[in-house]
Amino acid sequence: MSDFTVHTIESAGESKPMLEKSQKTYGFVPNLHAVMAESPALLAAYRSVADIFDTKTDLSPTERQIIAMTNNRLNGCTYCMAAHTSIMQGLKVPQDVIESLRDGTPIADPKLEALRVFSEQVNQKRGWVDDSDINALLSAGYTKQTVLDVIVGTAFKVLSNYTNHIADTPLDKQFAKNEWNADAQPAT
């Protein structure tokens, strides 16, 4: 595999202002952002889609994390599984929800489980979901907007998951306690 640079603020060139913002926001520059800095377009796209997903959807923080984590797990992204586990802990997402998302097992809350299952279907079927998939989500109390917002969350995760696969992004020490390995997970 090709070696990708984990940029510093000083080496980031055109991406420097974005890494400075990461430093200010998180107190450190996540290695994902540092790797993405190689392509200012990718880093800007990732940050833009993340902001849109966080501020333009009607989804709660927990619901957004369900979409993100479902994609992370299905895409086998060890970096994002650890990072989003840490994020969920900071958001005070219930531990049973975190464990279900890490393991790919049903969430006890039926509405949240419907969102997890639909997110899984969108990922696995590459968007070619059936009417029954959509109806199950709508019957759980979600809307057609939610159907489309799941696509936003899926696109957000494609940007980061694929970057991490290609660049083999090293896990930040801040996320190490939540390391995840796809091979160690229960079969679904």
Side-chain angles (χ1 to χ4, degrees):
M1 175 158 302
S2 299
D3 288 329
F4 281 81
T5 301
V6 179
H7 284 278
T8 63
I9 290 172
E10 293 74 28
S11 71
E14 190 180 326
S15 295
K16 180 178 179 177
M18 291 182 281
L19 291 191
E20 289 172 335
K21 185 173 182 181
S22 295
Q23 174 70 44
K24 183 177 179 185
T25 301
Y26 304 108
F28 70 103
V29 176
N31 287 338
L32 172 63
H33 298 193
V35 168
M36 286 180 163
E38 186 73 27
S39 168
L42 175 61
L43 184 53
Y46 175 78
R47 293 177 68 89
S48 294
V49 175
D51 181 60
I52 290 165
F53 189 51
D54 285 347
T55 64
K56 302 294 184 195
T57 69
D58 288 340
L59 301 166
S60 72
T62 296
E63 290 167 329
R64 291 192 305 271
Q65 290 303 314
I66 288 169
I67 297 164
M69 285 290 282
T70 300
N71 279 280
N72 293 338
R73 184 184 57 76
L74 291 172
N75 292 336
C77 187
T78 57
Y79 181 96
C80 286
M81 286 296 289
H84 281 269
T85 298
S86 299
I87 291 166
M88 288 189 299
Q89 290 166 339
L91 293 170
K92 308 285 190 242
V93 172
Q95 187 61 33
D96 66 309
V97 173
I98 295 171
E99 289 172 14
S100 292
L101 292 168
R102 286 177 61 92
D103 296 342
T105 57
I107 298 171
D109 180 297
K111 185 175 183 183
L112 297 179
E113 173 60 7
L115 180 61
R116 185 193 71 80
V117 169
F118 184 74
S119 299
E120 197 170 77
Q121 294 301 308
V122 169
N123 177 294
Q124 292 177 328
K125 295 179 179 180
R126 303 297 184 253
W128 294 102
V129 295
D130 301 320
D131 285 345
S132 62
D133 298 320
I134 294 170
N135 290 334
L137 185 68
L138 298 176
S139 294
Y142 288 104
T143 66
K144 289 181 181 176
Q145 178 181 337
T146 308
V147 170
L148 300 176
D149 287 345
V150 168
I151 296 168
V152 176
T154 301
F156 164 58
K157 295 318 303 172
V158 164
L159 292 167
S160 59
N161 294 168
Y162 289 14
T163 296
N164 291 322
H165 295 333
I166 289 170
D168 195 22
T169 308
L171 189 61
D172 302 273
K173 67 180 181 192
Q174 291 86 344
F175 307 138
K177 69 179 181 181
N178 292 312
E179 191 170 0
W180 180 87
N181 181 327
D183 297 333
Q185 302 312 307
T188 55

